[in-house]
């Protein structure tokens, strides 16, 4: 019902999903990713930002066996298939955690905190997890 | 202005639901339209009618139900988040073979698309959470 309404409206907004939390320990990252995947069906201009501990969501080689939780990090690699290709990682957050671009499991654009602020200011809708 | 609201924390533990409630009331008083209030993450726990706080405390769930009735608010609980946390309506309880349901009056269970739709339709989407 709502899908049809969207198509009639033809509204395309800039949505940014801001990921701020580590992938495990709380459910925010996992449930945030569920919103991102649903948003793909609405043909909006979607981008993802990774700041603070959120940069850990993209860390290569996640092993959750000992946690007894599902490793959902492969889903970030599938985003391209949903036409979600704008992934921004804040340089300051990444470097403060001893990570570099080579440690991440997908191609991203690394931006400064100031650039990230500009990107956020451009958005119509910002939802953070 | 047409406003959508996202509540992403549970009642009592966190201030988010109280603040969202006060915000919605103030917005309505000023003549704004509340398109939808969407409950996600532990926010779905705002929708259980089994909530029974001490008598001298506010009843956060009933307060939402009353406001919904008064202003015909659309209070939507995310189905995936609700299933994880045991928030069920009658249909969902039947479908899942559960012996009880607990959704409070004025709330309905639906998908995450309702949140994205609120983002598209509203002039502002305002989040209350951590």
């Amino acid at each position: 019902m709502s899908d049809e309404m969207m198509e009639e409206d033809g509204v395309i907004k800039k949505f940014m999903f801001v990921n701020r939390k580590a992938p495990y320990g709380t459910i925010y990252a996992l449930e945030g990713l569920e919103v991102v995947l649903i948003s793909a069906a609405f043909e909006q201009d979607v981008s993802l930002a990774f700041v603070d501990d959120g940069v850990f969501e993209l860390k290569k080689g996640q092993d959750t066996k000992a946690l007894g939780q599902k490793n959902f990090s492969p889903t970030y690699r599938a985003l391209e298939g949903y036409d979600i290709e704008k992934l921004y990682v804040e340089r300051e957050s990444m470097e403060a955690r001893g990570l570099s671009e080579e440690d991440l499991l997908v191609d991203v654009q690394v931006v400064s905190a100031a650039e990230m602020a500009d990107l956020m200011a451009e958005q119509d809708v910002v939802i953070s997890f | 202005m047409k406003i959508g609201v996202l509540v992403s924390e549970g009642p009592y533990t966190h201030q988010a639901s109280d603040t969202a409630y006060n915000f919605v009331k103030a917005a309505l008083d000023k003549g704004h339209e509340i398109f939808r209030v969407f409950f996600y993450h532990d926010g779905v726990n705002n929708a259980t009618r089994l909530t029974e706080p001490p008598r001298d405390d506010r009843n956060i769930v009933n307060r939402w139900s009353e406001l919904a009735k008064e202003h015909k608010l659309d209070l939507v609980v995310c189905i995936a988040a609700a299933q994880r946390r045991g928030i069920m309506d009658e249909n969902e309880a039947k479908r899942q073979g559960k012996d009880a349901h607990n959704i409070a009056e004025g709330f309905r269970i639906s998908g995450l698309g309702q949140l994205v739709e609120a983002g598209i339709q509203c002039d502002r989407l305002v989040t209350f959470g951590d």
Side-chain angles (χ1 to χ4, degrees):
Chain A
M1 183 185 71
S2 12
D3 281 339
E4 282 162 20
M5 213 163 83
M6 288 309 95
E7 280 163 24
E8 277 168 27
D9 282 7
V11 179
I12 297 179
K13 284 194 173 180
K14 287 171 82 75
F15 274 74
M16 177 176 264
F17 296 102
V18 184
N19 301 279
R20 299 171 297 142
K21 307 272 168 64
Y24 311 100
T26 67
I27 201 167
Y28 298 103
L30 174 63
E31 286 190 332
L33 194 52
E34 289 178 357
V35 181
V36 171
L37 294 174
I38 294 288
S39 75
F42 286 77
E43 294 179 2
Q44 300 294 300
D45 182 359
V46 174
S47 60
L48 272 65
F50 296 86
V51 300
D52 301 342
D53 278 350
V55 298
F56 285 126
E57 294 177 27
L58 298 180
K59 175 83 173 62
K60 272 182 195 162
Q62 296 179 26
D63 181 356
T64 59
K65 272 194 211 85
L67 279 178
Q69 291 178 32
K70 190 178 160 193
N71 175 4
F72 61 91
S73 65
T75 311
Y76 294 103
R77 280 203 297 265
L79 289 175
E80 211 180 348
Y82 290 83
D83 290 326
I84 296 171
E85 291 168 333
K86 282 182 269 188
L87 278 63
Y88 304 104
V89 170
E90 190 199 71
R91 182 184 313 281
E92 288 85 340
S93 297
M94 189 176 73
E95 289 177 350
R97 287 160 183 81
L99 298 174
S100 68
E101 220 174 320
E102 292 75 58
D103 296 310
L104 307 181
L105 49 79
V106 280
D107 288 336
V108 299
Q109 263 179 270
V110 178
V111 299
S112 68
E115 288 166 329
M116 189 67 94
D118 290 341
L119 285 167
M120 286 180 181
E122 284 172 13
Q123 306 298 318
D124 297 306
V125 183
V126 177
I127 300 179
S128 74
F129 299 108
Chain B
M1 195 177 269
K2 195 192 275 193
I3 300 169
V5 172
L6 168 62
V7 179
S8 56
E9 295 294 338
Y12 302 103
T13 302
H14 203 287
Q15 174 75 26
S17 181
D18 291 281
T19 311
Y21 173 82
N22 289 328
F23 173 83
V24 167
K25 264 185 73 165
L28 290 166
D29 285 346
K30 292 274 183 189
H32 296 291
E33 177 193 346
I34 299 295
F35 176 76
R36 177 172 295 147
V37 183
F38 192 86
F39 296 86
Y40 197 44
H41 301 311
D42 276 358
V44 301
N45 291 313
N46 285 288
T48 168
R49 66 170 184 268
L50 300 183
T51 298
E52 198 56 52
R55 280 181 183 279
D56 59 354
D57 199 356
R58 75 254 188 249
N59 188 318
I60 293 176
V61 178
N62 290 354
R63 217 169 49 174
W64 278 118
S65 292
E66 284 155 18
L67 197 65
K69 197 171 184 183
E70 192 181 337
H71 296 277
K72 294 194 170 61
L73 289 182
D74 189 20
L75 306 182
V76 179
V77 180
C78 167
I79 185 161
Q83 284 175 337
R84 282 196 178 101
R85 295 165 178 85
I87 306 296
M88 299 254 161
D89 62 13
E90 202 174 350
N91 282 340
E92 190 55 21
K94 238 178 241 168
R95 206 165 70 86
Q96 303 288 347
K98 301 291 182 187
D99 61 1
H101 51 86
N102 58 349
I103 197 162
E105 202 182 327
F107 290 85
R108 66 186 179 95
I109 292 182
S110 188
L112 275 171
Q114 300 273 307
L115 170 61
V116 181
E117 188 197 28
I120 296 168
Q121 295 289 325
C122 294
D123 301 307
R124 293 281 188 283
L125 180 67
V126 187
T127 303
F128 295 87
D130 253 345

